[in-house]
Structure formats: structure tokens, C-alpha cells
């Protein structure tokens, strides 16, 4: 068996065309969707991600506003900036790029973002709403994973899903979203004993551990669908996921590549959430 490659770049392109059309409709009604991005410090990877997000906004007609703050910014200055963006009607979405420097009170920062502008879906309200099933904004990477599976025509009801990685940004919300679709979900993490015992049962394996080559062919059920969320830079500069692509592609039915799998969807779902936020604003103004 050679796995079908799930082309995240192509799916992202299709979704972005539809998003651009919705932006045009909003503009015709007098609303230009706006995304505010806050970048603190000089983390190189964060700067790359923020650059991609800003460029993607431009490409679909979303206005973006970027604040770049030095590593030494204090909590109060950052919180005051978020409060100002909360009150700015030109801003429909606010994204604070993570990680933040250790002296910054990250939970407080995330909870200061208005829940109506929390397009990253990291506010406690949105995380809680994921549990109860009435989320306003789903976090972008898990939302992208759901879209990729949807694009493959996979009905998640009753499927055995194993999520490897239990981060707040990816693993936990992905597990909740796939459970909401009817999957039976197991979450594995750094303390899981005998990881392979779980992964081998997975009809759908989602890997977000940040460990290159963690998942090898012997750990994967023949015919499984494998979604690799990992983005790791090797010492030789290559970007790879958490899954041994060559080995696992001989066993899986379908899998995402890295790069070109989940990554483009993460940015796309941020655009989608920003447009949804602007549409909600317009609907409220019309009501
Ligand atoms: N850092 C790593 N992933 C993300 C993400 O999806 N959003 C934000 N804001 N920061 C991140």
C-alpha cells in the first residue's frame, strides 16, 4: 500500500478562494475584516509564522495590523494594548503569537482578549465551549485537522482516533473536536507507557508531539489515516514532521506531508475565523 497524500496546500487554496469571496461581500456592505497580530520578542520561528499570517490576510483582502514589541515589554503595557484593540471597531480578530517571554502572564493576556475577537480560540471561554459544544471560534490548527479529514470524506462517527500530544494549542482541543464529531478518542502524551499499544489501534492517528520521527511504520495500523501536525527543523535545515514519512506511507491509506499538510490549514482557519468575526459584527449591526 502506498498512502494517498493529503494535499493541505491545495485544500487551503480552495478554502481561501471562498474566504476571499466572503471578504468581498463584507466590503460591499462597508465592513473590511481586520486582524491585529501581536508579536513579542525576537523568536525567529514566531516571526516567520506571523509573516505568513500577515501575507495570507493580504491575499484574501483582510486588513492586518501588526504590533512588534521588544522582549522586555511589561504586562501592563501589553494588556493595555489588547484593551485598545478590543475597543477598536476596525479590528475583528486579535492574535497574540505564542510563546511569550516567561515574565509575561500568558493566561491573563489570553483572557484579556475579547471573546468576540478571540480568533485563535485560546480564551478560556472558547476552550470551555469546546467541551460543551458551542464554540464561537475553534483553535486554528485543530480546526484545520478537522477540515483535512472532512476533505477526505471521512465520517468520524465511531472511528478510533488516537491523538499523540496533549498541548493546550493542539492535542487537547483536537481531541475534543474529534470527539464532538463522534470519534472514540484516546490522548497520549509524554508519560504514556507503550505508545505503540495505542497508536496501532488508530483508524485515524493525529500526531502533535514535536518529536521528529516519533511514529514509525510498526506503530501504525495498515490502512490508517495519519495526520502529522509536527513541524521540526533538523540540524541540516530540513523541515520534517513527527512521522517517519517514507516508512509510514507504505502502510497508511492516507497521510499529510510536512510541509504542505496541516500548516497551510492553520493559517487558513485563522482567516476563516476572522471573516466569521466580521460577519457576526455586521449581523449585529443589522439586527
Ligand atoms: N504558536 C504556535 N502555534 C500558534 C498558534 O496557532 N497561534 C498562536 N497565536 N501562537 C502559536
Amino acid at each position: 500500500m502506498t498512502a494517498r497524500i493529503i494535499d493541505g496546500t491545495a485544500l487551503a487554496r480552495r478554502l481561501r478562494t471562498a474566504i476571499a469571496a466572503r471578504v468581498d461581500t463584507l466590503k460591499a456592505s462597508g465592513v473590511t475584516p481586520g486582524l491585529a497580530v501581536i508579536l513579542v520578542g525576537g523568536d525567529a520561528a514566531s516571526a516567520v509564522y506571523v509573516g505568513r499570517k500577515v501575507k495570507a490576510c493580504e491575499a484574501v483582502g483582510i486588513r492586518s495590523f501588526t504590533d512588534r514589541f521588544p522582549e522586555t515589554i511589561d504586562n501592563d503595557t501589553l494588556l493595555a494594548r489588547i484593551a485598545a484593540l478590543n475597543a477598536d471597531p476596525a479590528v475583528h480578530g486579535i492574535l497574540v503569537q505564542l510563546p511569550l517571554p516567561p515574565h509575561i502572564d500568558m493566561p491573563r493576556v489570553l483572557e484579556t482578549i475579547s471573546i468576540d475577537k478571540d480568533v485563535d480560540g485560546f480564551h478560556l471561554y472558547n476552550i470551555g465551549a469546546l467541551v460543551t459544544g458551542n464554540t464561537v471560534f475553534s483553535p486554528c490548527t485543530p480546526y484545520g485537522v478537522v477540515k483535512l479529514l472532512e476533505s477526505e470524506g471521512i465520517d468520524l462517527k465511531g472511528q478510533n482516533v488516537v491523538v499523540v500530544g496533549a498541548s493546550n494549542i493542539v492535542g487537547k482541543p483536537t481531541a475534543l473536536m474529534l470527539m464532538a464529531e463522534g470519534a472514540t478518542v484516546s490522548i497520549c502524551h509524554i508519560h504514556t507507557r507503550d505508545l505503540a499499544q495505542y497508536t496501532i489501534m488508530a483508524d485515524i492517528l493525529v500526531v502533535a508531539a514535536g518529536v521528529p520521527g516519533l511514529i514509525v511504520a510498526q506503530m501504525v495500523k495498515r490502512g490508517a489515516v495519519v495526520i502529522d501536525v509536527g513541524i521540526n527543523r533538523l540540524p541540516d535545515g530540513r523541515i520534517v514532521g513527527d512521522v517517519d514519512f517514507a516508512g509510514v506511507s507504505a502502510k497508511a491509506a492516507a497521510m499529510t506531508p510536512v510541509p504542505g499538510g496541516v500548516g497551510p490549514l492553520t493559517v487558513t482557519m485563522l482567516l476563516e475565523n476572522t471573516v466569521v468575526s466580521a460577519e457576526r459584527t455586521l449581523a449585529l449591526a443589522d439586527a
Side-chain angles (χ1 to χ4, degrees):
M1 178 178 282
T2 303
R4 191 170 63 254
I5 304 304
I6 305 174
D7 187 345
T9 308
L11 175 61
R13 198 179 307 122
R14 288 201 297 279
L15 294 174
R16 288 185 201 190
T17 302
I19 289 168
R22 284 160 66 192
V23 171
D24 287 344
T25 304
L26 280 163
K27 284 182 174 169
S29 308
V31 174
T32 299
L35 175 69
V37 180
I38 295 179
L39 177 62
V40 179
D43 182 70
S46 289
V48 170
Y49 294 140
V50 162
R52 275 189 203 149
K53 290 169 186 178
V54 167
K55 230 173 105 190
C57 281
E58 257 170 43
V60 297
I62 294 174
R63 193 189 287 156
S64 69
F65 313 86
T66 308
D67 280 303
R68 289 186 169 79
F69 291 114
E71 188 91 19
T72 50
I73 189 173
D74 60 82
N75 278 284
D76 288 346
T77 309
L78 189 52
L79 296 177
R81 181 60 189 144
I82 293 170
L85 293 168
N86 283 342
D88 185 344
V91 172
H92 301 95
I94 301 170
L95 178 151
V96 179
Q97 187 65 29
L98 304 178
L100 290 167
H103 70 278
I104 296 289
D105 184 348
M106 185 187 67
R108 184 130 181 255
V109 165
L110 297 180
E111 274 126 59
T112 301
I113 297 171
S114 160
I115 56 171
D116 292 318
K117 300 190 179 187
D118 178 37
V119 290
D120 238 347
F122 292 166
H123 189 290
L124 275 186
Y125 175 90
N126 272 316
I127 295 168
L130 272 186
V131 176
T132 56
N134 54 353
T135 314
V136 182
F137 299 113
S138 299
C140 301
T141 299
Y143 196 4
V145 171
V146 170
K147 284 284 173 190
L148 282 164
L149 293 171
E150 205 180 278
S151 78
E152 286 292 296
I154 294 166
D155 181 3
L156 287 158
K157 271 186 210 68
Q159 301 271 21
N160 281 339
V161 171
V162 175
V163 179
V164 180
S167 70
N168 289 339
I169 292 182
V170 183
K172 286 185 220 166
T174 300
L176 287 166
M177 289 181 76
L178 298 181
M179 192 169 71
E181 299 284 335
T184 303
V185 181
S186 308
I187 310 179
C188 299
H189 46 74
I190 193 95
H191 301 299
T192 299
R193 275 185 277 121
D194 194 0
L195 179 61
Q197 183 193 338
Y198 290 87
T199 59
I200 199 74
M201 291 197 327
D203 302 313
I204 298 163
L205 180 60
V206 181
V207 191
V211 181
L214 177 68
I215 304 296
V216 294
Q218 303 90 287
M219 300 166 78
V220 177
K221 180 160 107 174
R222 190 165 292 283
V225 174
V226 180
I227 306 291
D228 189 350
V229 189
I231 301 178
N232 309 291
R233 185 179 287 277
L234 297 182
D236 66 6
R238 275 186 306 140
I239 301 288
V240 297
D242 292 349
V243 178
D244 168 29
F245 188 87
V248 171
S249 64
K251 211 166 169 198
M255 68 187 294
T256 56
V258 178
V262 177
L265 269 299
T266 295
V267 179
T268 304
M269 302 333 291
L270 173 67
L271 305 177
E272 159 86 18
N273 281 348
T274 305
V275 168
V276 166
S277 180
E279 288 170 345
R280 290 174 87 226
T281 309
L282 186 62
L284 282 175
D286 287 348

